[in-house]
Amino acid sequence: MILPASDPESIAHCVTTTRAGGLIGLPTETVYGLGADADNDAAVAQIFAAKGRPADHPLIVHVSSQDGGMSGAAHYAAQVPPFAQQLMSAFWPGPLTLILPRRAGVGAASAGGQNSIGLRCPAHPAAQAVLRALRDTSGGQAPVWGIAAPSANRFGRVSPTTAAHVEGELGPDLLILDGGPCDLGIESTIIDCTRGEPVLLRPGSISRLQVEQACGRKLLSNDELLSQQTRGPEAPKASGTLESHYAPNAKVRLMDAQSLQAAVDLLGGVMYPAGSDTKPSIAIYARAALKKVPMAIALRRMPDDAAATAHQLFAVLRAMDDTGVKLIWVETPPDAMEWDGVRDRLQRASADR
């Protein structure tokens, strides 16, 4: 059931469902999430079951923007290092998830049993309306401090960026709050704050440079931290960091522009003879102006801008899948910082599975 986020009754319905231990489809600025009360272990278990997600693979908990998300962080985190507080001040509400030491007795199921927990304060007004209402105790009810909300899709598959995508993935019985297409289109940047230094676990719309400028520290990769003489602990598990993830049904292959053109030249005249009405079995998503592409190959132009590509990436992969193609050829993104999030998603989508 899809309800418009513009209707206050829709917000109220989502709040009632969440308080009762049910699941909701929740819009955010990144992707749509499958949400439940983060402190209700039985409700959280339904998320894992609906997605087919391993129970030890942690979820991100979304908190209200009241007081900049600080009270929500204080509920779930045993401590918040000063550099993490700087990142909260700079980017919350927004597409940044911080991994923090988990306070004992809260969010255990959401954290996949780990001693750390991922927290985010989303910027989408509909998500914040639900989160604020759940914090409201004026009716005598206890506050719900956060919503655990991984992407609202089957585990490992393409994330949804519209309410219709969620319904197509998880069925018409789920209550879905329709907040329109997601503005950013890829999941949040994840920074591990449990090991004394900020460590990048997943790139997103917030760049490495922005993080470093906000907290005044170098943002390390996990490999960089572990290669130092004083080896720290291993990184905690985090959402969307498996080698194979974000994958459509079709096989995705990354290729440079020259290789794409060579493949088109080789296959164009072989696969689709003149006058053939055969449905395409290959789709191409590329920035390069490819020459002599047969009409029977499904071709989509990739924007030259990284943010515009991120915004449409998952929707494009879904649309190509819907045509029934077996292969999706994607031009490799540029090796530039602003493309890190898109490149990460495509590398995981193209990994062997």
Side-chain angles (χ1 to χ4, degrees):
M1 178 170 55
I2 297 178
L3 299 179
S6 57
D7 185 350
E9 290 299 318
S10 301
I11 303 296
H13 197 1
C14 287
V15 169
T16 299
T17 299
T18 303
R19 286 190 174 279
L23 301 182
I24 61 171
L26 187 71
T28 79
E29 74 277 23
T30 57
V31 300
Y32 274 71
L34 179 61
D37 179 352
D39 289 309
N40 183 331
D41 288 357
V44 170
Q46 293 182 67
I47 296 178
F48 286 102
K51 284 178 63 68
R53 183 184 181 108
D56 65 347
H57 200 67
L59 312 178
I60 293 172
V61 175
H62 297 67
V63 299
S64 170
S65 60
Q66 293 164 270
D67 60 29
M70 294 299 179
S71 57
H75 175 79
Y76 289 105
Q79 58 179 312
V80 181
F83 71 84
Q85 293 179 11
Q86 292 173 306
L87 293 175
M88 288 180 186
S89 297
F91 300 115
W92 278 13
L96 179 70
T97 294
L98 300 178
I99 307 296
L100 297 163
R102 181 171 61 85
R103 190 162 67 86
V106 298
S110 297
Q114 295 190 120
N115 293 325
S116 60
I117 192 164
L119 301 179
R120 184 164 97 82
C121 181
H124 197 289
Q128 281 299 329
V130 174
L131 289 162
R132 286 194 301 271
L134 286 168
R135 284 276 301 276
D136 183 8
T137 60
S138 60
Q141 68 272 42
V144 172
W145 285 95
I147 293 178
S151 57
N153 54 275
R154 301 292 180 182
F155 183 63
R157 297 301 179 181
V158 180
S159 300
T161 55
T162 69
H165 291 165
V166 179
E167 186 177 63
E169 281 277 335
L170 300 176
D173 294 333
L174 177 68
L175 173 60
I176 305 167
L177 188 64
D178 187 354
C182 298
D183 287 340
L184 299 179
I186 60 172
E187 298 82 357
S188 59
T189 303
I190 299 181
I191 307 295
D192 177 16
C193 302
T194 66
R195 295 183 285 171
E197 300 289 343
V199 182
L200 179 65
L201 298 186
R202 181 178 72 187
S205 298
I206 297 173
S207 72
R208 174 185 291 269
L209 179 60
Q210 288 175 299
V211 171
E212 292 177 341
Q213 290 176 337
C215 69
R217 297 195 183 201
K218 180 183 178 183
L219 179 59
L220 302 174
S221 69
N222 189 54
D223 290 343
E224 286 173 326
L225 183 64
L226 293 179
S227 68
Q228 294 177 354
Q229 289 184 345
T230 54
R231 292 171 64 89
E234 295 287 339
K237 290 182 179 178
S239 295
T241 55
L242 295 178
E243 182 178 357
S244 177
H245 214 73
Y246 314 113
N249 292 317
K251 176 65 178 176
V252 176
R253 181 182 177 189
L254 292 179
M255 308 166 70
D256 61 32
Q258 184 176 359
S259 298
L260 272 174
Q261 186 63 66
V264 168
D265 292 343
L266 178 64
L267 297 177
V270 175
M271 293 179 59
Y272 303 105
S276 172
D277 60 356
T278 305
K279 292 183 178 180
S281 59
I282 294 177
I284 297 177
Y285 187 43
R287 299 179 311 284
L290 301 175
K291 301 176 182 178
K292 299 181 180 179
V293 179
M295 292 182 63
I297 290 181
L299 177 63
R300 177 73 179 262
R301 176 76 162 79
M302 180 189 292
D304 293 321
D305 176 71
T309 302
H311 173 73
Q312 66 176 230
L313 177 63
F314 289 145
V316 168
L317 292 179
R318 283 179 173 274
M320 288 179 167
D321 237 7
D322 289 345
T323 67
V325 298
K326 303 300 182 184
L327 297 172
I328 298 175
W329 292 347
V330 181
E331 184 177 349
T332 304
D335 187 17
M337 184 183 302
E338 63 268 24
W339 287 88
D340 284 352
V342 171
R343 190 184 315 105
D344 172 82
R345 302 314 187 272
L346 286 171
Q347 286 172 342
R348 296 182 193 278
S350 63
D352 290 337
R353 60 185 193 275

